Amino acid sequence: MPEPSIELVCAGRMCVDLYAEQHGADLPDVDSFRRYLGGSAANICFGSARLGIRSAMLARVGDDQNGEFLRRALAVAGANTEMVHVDPQRLTPVVMLAVRPSDDFPRLFHYHDSSDMATAVDDIDEAMVESAKAVLITGSFLANDTVQATTMRLVDIARAAGVKVVLDIDYRPAMWGLAPFRGGNEMLVMSDPVTERLREVLPFCDLIVGTREEIRIAGGTTDFHDALVSVRVRTDALIVAKIGAQGCLVIDGPVPDDLATHPVEPGFAVDVVNNVGAGDGFFSGFLSGWLRDLSLDACARRGNAVGAIVVSRHGCSVAMPSAAELEAFLALSPTPRRPGEHPRLRQLHRRAASPRRTGDVPVLAIDHRWQLQAMCDEAGASWDRISPLKTLLLDAFERVAVDRPEVGVLIDDVYGADLLERMTGHDRWLARALDVPRSRPVEFMNDDVGLTLRSWPADQIAKLMVYAHPDDPPEVAEIQWSRMARMGRAAAAADRGFLIEFQTPSGVDPGPGYLARLLAEAYARDITPDWWKLPPVADADEWAGAAAVIAEGDPTCQGMLVLGQTAAPEALASALAAAATEPMVRGFAIGRAIFGPAARRWLGDEIDDEALVADVAARFTSTIHTWKAHRR
């Protein structure tokens, strides 16, 4: 019997979370925020998708930029967004959160007439729900008549189709009007109407998950044990109580008279950065086992592990681990107190945040600075012509790119800042130079590389060009390796992709095994870029050796690109032919070999703009054809 296309349908809150960047500050003292996908149901949908569960979201977003951001974030995580509808009458809600390691994390819900709380019965794709393994409903989606009706209809459809019903109690008093605006951190305000609405759905559930406070509101009493008993009276569902750092209680049967006699699935000791989102992480991890019929002990262990990983990072949804990262964490003994700083876990997490591109990536490199300055000097042209030249080069790129979605471009922000703005947001491979031209040891254009990367759009890959050789003098090598490592840490912290380009220092013979030796040294120092851009070596064994090093050091690496340098056409063709034999080489990133001849003539006023564009477009196209021919 074929697997269902969707395993889990999540219905509930879907909002923008703005997490404070100043840790420990109360909201009035916060200067800046980072934007993430948020809302309990959306977080669980996102986290489950990252863990390999085929998840779908049911909610509404506003017809605004925040709604577009949320839909895109879920899709990138691998979740189905067909039931995420756009509401033209309401705005996407926003929640502002202070970041604190304690349980007191101030929150401000901007939720007046929000889009998600208007999710209606007609928004349900009944066929999708009927084909799923489970439906996740949430307590927040009982807070008004519209979403309550939607929730109850979901339950009816699921029960009729034999689909399991899962309840995240998700009690936020502010959502029910039971706490003042500034009381978003209130977790328990007893209310008979809230308890009654929760009790309406309890008999239909197969799994119920909640914190101590949420169990109390569902049970209608502030005594935790009595609340569990009250919930059990109304349902035979598996009850999972989240008890913070201690772990969780899994009750599959009668509630024991003395909870102290009931085993606790222990949590993992980690240094807490942010408690918000621990529960959503726990539920995602638990479901990743429960939906695959693992033992309850295994489900609880996975839930506790994901919760621990999430609280050790900034944010909730983006802190969720991938399946590979979760398995790696569980395999470590002892598990690290700071998962975000563990090299292997950090590497796996970055890969999950930037999904792998499929197919080859032919790149036109136009990030040159000093080379174009030299061209201008040779032609007797002003450097003021470099920016207009780059505009024409990008025109040529776009002429080729019309029918080739796989092509990418590499740009600088010295002469191409407006071009970067022009290319950002188009889902193309886009890289941006970060290095000071010709610097050795390599230097950053801005010394605070972390702040620099945070200021860049998320789709721009940071490129660092390094003149390096395995036998460099120690005083040069150590500085360069430390700066590459620094860039890697900054890229990971900013959730940005990065590329390292190696060029041979002037006058130095690379020697045999040049590529493999450099890459091996990088991995020995935990330097794991998403991409490598490497010299045009016309030796297939060199590329195979480099690929073997990558397979050992970082099998999740996106791959290698061949650079062009000033190689003659015949030499470049030989290098492309050799590189194309290795699958880990994903294409090329070539500049002057493509645009150099026409650029020199244009700077010398020998050809006009159209002739330049046509020539560069033709050469770029020809290089793509050459690469594909060798690839075949």
Side-chain angles (χ1 to χ4, degrees):
M1 185 173 178
E3 285 286 322
S5 58
I6 295 296
E7 295 174 275
L8 176 67
V9 172
C10 300
R13 291 187 295 117
M14 185 172 180
C15 63
V16 165
D17 274 354
L18 297 178
Y19 274 72
E21 293 189 302
Q22 291 72 47
H23 291 205
D26 200 351
L27 283 175
D29 304 312
V30 171
D31 293 327
S32 57
F33 297 84
R34 292 189 71 176
R35 181 177 66 166
Y36 303 122
L37 173 139
S40 59
N43 283 334
I44 294 168
C45 185
F46 184 104
S48 299
R50 269 212 176 157
L51 289 168
I53 299 299
R54 297 184 296 279
S55 307
M57 185 68 196
L58 169 63
R60 286 189 183 188
V61 295
D63 187 11
D64 52 42
Q65 294 87 340
N66 279 332
E68 183 180 347
F69 164 78
L70 294 177
R71 288 169 61 93
R72 186 183 303 171
L74 269 185
V76 168
N80 182 296
T81 60
E82 293 175 24
M83 287 193 290
V84 178
H85 299 281
V86 176
D87 189 326
Q89 305 300 321
R90 298 171 177 85
L91 285 170
T92 303
V94 173
V95 179
M96 302 176 73
L97 306 99
V99 173
R100 293 180 173 180
S102 67
D103 289 334
D104 178 25
F105 32 84
R107 285 180 284 194
L108 182 60
F109 288 86
H110 291 261
Y111 248 86
H112 177 69
D113 197 24
S114 68
S115 55
D116 57 350
M117 298 301 287
T119 305
V121 169
D122 291 344
D123 296 334
I124 301 171
D125 182 333
E126 295 193 9
M128 185 181 295
V129 174
E130 290 168 345
S131 68
K133 280 189 174 183
V135 169
L136 170 78
I137 61 173
T138 53
S140 291
F141 256 32
L142 300 171
N144 67 47
D145 292 343
T146 298
V147 288
Q148 183 195 29
T150 302
T151 297
M152 299 311 295
R153 179 58 186 153
L154 268 177
V155 170
D156 289 343
I157 296 168
R159 298 285 291 186
V163 175
K164 293 180 179 179
V165 176
V166 176
L167 171 65
D168 175 11
I169 299 175
D170 184 38
Y171 180 45
R172 301 292 180 268
M175 303 294 301
W176 295 78
L178 298 174
F181 291 136
R182 65 184 302 116
N185 57 329
E186 291 283 348
M187 302 305 292
L188 181 61
V189 176
M190 297 303 293
S191 165
D192 290 340
V194 174
T195 298
E196 287 306 311
R197 285 208 167 181
L198 285 168
R199 284 176 171 174
E200 287 180 31
V201 301
L202 294 181
F204 307 114
C205 296
D206 299 280
L207 168 64
I208 298 167
V209 176
T211 63
R212 290 186 184 93
E213 293 81 6
E214 289 169 338
I215 296 292
R216 288 172 175 132
I217 189 68
T221 173
T222 56
D223 184 274
F224 179 53
H225 178 271
D226 290 349
L228 284 169
V229 172
S230 176
V231 170
R232 174 56 76 221
V233 166
R234 292 165 175 80
T235 180
D236 295 327
L238 175 69
I239 303 172
V240 180
K242 300 175 288 187
I243 52 177
Q246 295 173 261
C248 64
L249 289 170
V250 179
I251 301 176
D252 187 17
V255 177
D257 293 334
D258 183 0
L259 288 178
T261 66
H262 194 79
V264 173
E265 183 63 39
F268 294 84
V270 295
D271 292 342
V272 176
V273 172
N274 165 40
N275 261 317
V276 181
D280 298 339
F282 172 88
F283 211 159
S284 300
F286 193 95
L287 286 171
S288 74
W290 191 73
L291 289 171
R292 302 292 168 84
D293 300 318
L294 300 187
S295 70
L296 293 180
D297 286 347
C299 295
R301 180 170 167 78
R302 292 173 72 84
N304 287 334
V306 177
I309 291 170
V310 169
V311 300
S312 70
R313 294 176 172 148
H314 194 269
C316 175
S317 58
V318 296
M320 298 283 188
S322 65
E325 184 184 356
L326 174 58
E327 297 302 335
F329 176 84
L330 290 171
L332 293 171
S333 183
T335 52
R337 292 194 64 92
R338 298 181 178 181
E341 296 179 12
H342 187 278
R344 178 61 176 158
L345 299 179
R346 185 178 66 223
Q347 174 189 13
L348 291 170
H349 190 72
R350 255 195 36 251
R351 295 293 184 262
S354 53
R356 186 178 183 85
R357 283 185 172 267
T358 58
D360 288 347
V361 185
V363 175
L364 180 64
I366 58 172
D367 61 321
H368 305 72
R369 288 150 287 175
W370 68 267
Q371 299 96 329
L372 290 178
Q373 291 168 355
M375 269 190 204
C376 287
D377 293 344
E378 291 169 9
S382 168
W383 290 5
D384 291 341
R385 298 190 67 185
I386 295 177
S387 290
L389 170 61
K390 291 203 173 194
T391 299
L392 295 173
L393 295 179
L394 190 62
D395 290 344
F397 167 81
E398 291 187 321
R399 187 171 294 185
V400 175
V402 168
D403 300 315
R404 297 182 183 276
E406 75 278 13
V407 298
V409 62
L410 174 53
I411 307 174
D412 68 292
D413 58 10
V414 175
Y415 294 109
D418 56 332
L419 307 185
L420 284 163
E421 182 177 338
R422 176 171 150 188
M423 291 304 301
T424 294
H426 294 290
D427 198 31
R428 287 198 180 277
W429 193 99
L430 174 63
R432 177 175 179 176
L434 185 68
D435 53 272
V436 172
R438 307 180 82 174
S439 58
R440 176 171 154 86
V442 64
E443 297 177 16
F444 300 114
M445 291 178 62
N446 296 293
D447 187 61
D448 192 337
V449 64
L451 185 61
T452 298
L453 294 182
R454 287 283 309 283
S455 71
W456 289 8
D459 62 347
Q460 294 180 4
I461 300 165
K463 186 216 79 168
L464 191 70
M465 204 274 281
V466 186
Y467 293 95
H469 190 277
D471 300 323
D472 273 338
E475 62 272 17
V476 173
E478 288 305 316
I479 293 174
Q480 299 212 126
W481 290 119
S482 68
R483 287 177 181 167
M484 285 183 265
R486 179 181 164 197
M487 179 183 180
R489 292 190 298 271
D495 294 324
R496 299 293 187 268
F498 80 106
L499 173 154
I500 290 179
E501 172 182 345
F502 280 133
Q503 294 233 28
T504 311
S506 178
V508 176
D509 180 11
Y514 169 74
L515 300 181
R517 291 177 66 197
L518 274 176
L519 269 55
E521 181 67 20
Y523 289 128
R525 295 171 179 265
D526 291 324
I527 298 168
T528 56
D530 302 271
W531 298 89
W532 295 102
K533 186 171 175 235
L534 301 171
V537 178
D539 183 340
D541 290 340
E542 286 276 345
W543 293 106
V549 172
I550 293 174
E552 175 69 22
D554 179 14
T556 64
C557 178
Q558 297 267 18
M560 298 177 278
L561 300 174
V562 186
L563 61 90
Q565 295 178 321
T566 55
E570 298 79 10
L572 182 57
S574 296
L576 292 177
T581 62
E582 172 49 56
M584 185 54 76
V585 181
R586 300 283 306 284
F588 58 82
I590 296 174
R592 283 175 293 168
I594 292 174
F595 69 71
R600 287 185 174 88
R601 296 177 64 199
W602 183 84
L603 290 169
D605 296 322
E606 299 174 29
I607 58 173
D608 62 14
D609 294 355
E610 172 55 30
L612 169 71
V613 171
D615 185 278
V616 173
R619 290 175 186 268
F620 186 31
T621 301
S622 176
T623 307
I624 294 171
H625 289 161
T626 298
W627 171 258
K628 288 188 172 182
H630 290 313
R631 195 58 137 178
R632 285 194 294 269

